[in-house]
Amino acid sequence: MNDRPDLTGLLAPSCPAPAAETGRVTLPHGAGAGASARLFETLLWPRLANDLLAPRHDGAVLGAAGGRLAFTTDGFVVSPLVFPGGDIGSLAVHGTLNDLAMCGARPLALSCALILEEGLPLATLAGVVDSLARAAADAGVPVATGDTKVVERGKGDGLFVTTAAVGLVPGARELGPGRVREGDAVLASGPIGCHGAAVLSVREGLHFESEIMSDSAWIGPMVEALLEAVPGTRCLRDPTRGGLGAVLHEIARGAGAELEIDEAAVPVDAPVRAACELLGLDPLFLASEGRCVAFVAEADAERALAALRSHPLGRGAARIGRVRAGAPRVVVRTRMGARRLLVLPEGEPLPRIC
């Protein structure tokens, strides 16, 4: 962890222990002195300890067996901190590692920076860090470095998390919008929009007949199965903030091509569709945190679908469209057979979902 204080003498019983007295995050927890040391030693370190953190240096030196390194970072400000199917801790790990997976990279290590608001219950922080640690362990990726700061009450809305990750891109893997070609198939790895709908339901106190669970998950193994079956996969992207609609627009611009999506082929779970109809939302713009969109040559499409479906997270994979010649734009072929332009919304229908 950065800003690690000198622990000499600070953990002695005679040292004041505001954390133990209040059970909440206080400004001294971020002051770099005794309270900071106790927070590190009693709450963070026991949950995140590993060989890379053991030197307690300002950073981590990573070995690489060859190849290229991928590096990514992301900030998470989701509200509420805990939602059906996950919380901000596991979400931060999944979101960042999935960004590496979209580069075709295998993760080596994570960093984690916590911005804590004065007054945050330590029990809440412990639960989030436990969840973060479990998600990292499940992915086999150590938290190698990080930082903790505390802001004044009313300045931080509880807890923000920033994670970064580095990974190794094996062999000659190349993925990106510039590799997408006319005639390529567009695939979705599963039903879209579950994360956005889940966060919205708990934040707004909405109750649906069937509880909507976030799809937050680490999809690296599923992506590896796809890339091993179809090494020539053109591009991958996870439809997080802005959902599938935003991703398609980004790829259309990057590829300089038209993307046509079949409305009836896009997988959307029935509870998510019902919630969208009730609230006037378009599921194409609801975030997913455990899905990906894949662009592959038409000749590889069935093999790619079989690879995705071979993994539990990809059982609902579907072919949802195609790449066509034309101006960079996204067109939806409706259930009635008509074509309509998919326009990006100007506002943010679901703020703070990730």
Side-chain angles (χ1 to χ4, degrees), residues 83-209:
F83 46 83
D87 57 45
I88 193 172
S90 58
L91 178 66
V93 172
H94 296 153
T96 300
L97 295 187
N98 289 345
D99 284 346
L100 279 187
M102 298 302 96
C103 302
R106 296 166 180 166
L108 296 174
L110 272 164
S111 76
C112 173
L114 303 174
I115 309 298
L116 313 176
E117 182 185 7
E118 180 187 20
L120 176 72
L122 288 174
T124 300
L125 175 61
V128 167
V129 178
D130 279 338
S131 177
L132 187 151
R134 279 195 302 271
D138 289 345
V141 183
V143 178
T145 187
D147 190 24
T148 303
K149 295 290 192 304
V150 177
V151 296
E152 296 174 8
R153 192 184 300 268
K155 303 289 186 178
D157 206 10
L159 168 63
F160 298 147
V161 181
T162 296
T163 43
V166 63
L168 187 67
V169 182
R173 280 184 183 175
E174 291 287 350
L175 297 165
R179 299 187 70 250
V180 173
R181 298 287 182 266
E182 178 186 352
D184 284 354
V186 185
L187 315 178
S189 69
I192 63 166
C194 298
H195 176 71
V199 173
L200 177 66
S201 66
V202 67
R203 187 165 65 211
E204 301 301 327
L206 302 176
H207 300 283
F208 301 105
E209 187 171 340

Side-chain angles (χ1 to χ4, degrees), residues 29-333:
H29 280 124
S36 297
R38 284 189 292 276
L39 183 68
F40 181 87
E41 291 291 340
T42 63
L43 196 153
L44 299 177
W45 176 255
R47 289 170 169 81
L48 301 176
N50 58 62
D51 290 341
L52 288 172
L53 274 177
R56 303 191 178 200
H57 195 32
D58 279 345
V61 178
L62 308 175
R68 294 159 295 151
L69 292 176
F71 184 44
T72 187
T73 188
D74 206 345
F76 295 86
V77 297
V78 62
S79 177
L81 300 177
V82 180
F83 46 83
D87 57 45
I88 193 172
S90 58
L91 178 66
V93 172
H94 296 153
T96 300
L97 295 187
N98 289 345
D99 284 346
L100 279 187
M102 298 302 96
C103 302
R106 296 166 180 166
L108 296 174
L110 272 164
S111 76
C112 173
L114 303 174
I115 309 298
L116 313 176
E117 182 185 7
E118 180 187 20
L120 176 72
L122 288 174
T124 300
L125 175 61
V128 167
V129 178
D130 279 338
S131 177
L132 187 151
R134 279 195 302 271
D138 289 345
V141 183
V143 178
T145 187
D147 190 24
T148 303
K149 295 290 192 304
V150 177
V151 296
E152 296 174 8
R153 192 184 300 268
K155 303 289 186 178
D157 206 10
L159 168 63
F160 298 147
V161 181
T162 296
T163 43
V166 63
L168 187 67
V169 182
R173 280 184 183 175
E174 291 287 350
L175 297 165
R179 299 187 70 250
V180 173
R181 298 287 182 266
E182 178 186 352
D184 284 354
V186 185
L187 315 178
S189 69
I192 63 166
C194 298
H195 176 71
V199 173
L200 177 66
S201 66
V202 67
R203 187 165 65 211
E204 301 301 327
L206 302 176
H207 300 283
F208 301 105
E209 187 171 340
S210 299
E211 185 176 27
I212 301 172
M213 305 290 288
S214 169
D215 51 35
S216 179
W218 156 233
I219 62 173
M222 179 186 70
V223 169
E224 283 294 320
L226 169 63
L227 295 178
E228 288 177 10
V230 184
T233 297
R234 313 279 203 203
C235 182
L236 296 171
R237 189 64 63 88
D238 53 342
T240 56
R241 187 172 50 181
L244 177 63
V247 163
L248 295 176
H249 274 275
E250 292 169 7
I251 301 299
R253 289 194 296 270
E258 177 183 296
L259 304 184
E260 183 183 74
I261 302 303
D262 295 323
E263 184 178 39
V266 176
V268 181
D269 284 344
V272 174
R273 188 177 298 283
C276 288
E277 291 175 353
L278 176 66
L279 300 169
L281 298 172
D282 186 342
L284 292 177
F285 293 106
L286 284 185
S288 303
E289 290 287 351
R291 308 288 185 231
C292 73
V293 183
F295 294 78
V296 300
E298 173 59 31
D300 294 330
E302 290 304 317
R303 189 151 36 95
L305 280 173
L308 289 170
R309 290 168 180 164
S310 71
H311 190 276
L313 293 176
R315 286 175 183 157
R319 182 198 300 238
I320 63 171
R322 63 201 62 81
V323 181
R324 301 169 61 98
R329 61 181 184 173
V330 181
V331 175
V332 176
R333 183 169 291 280

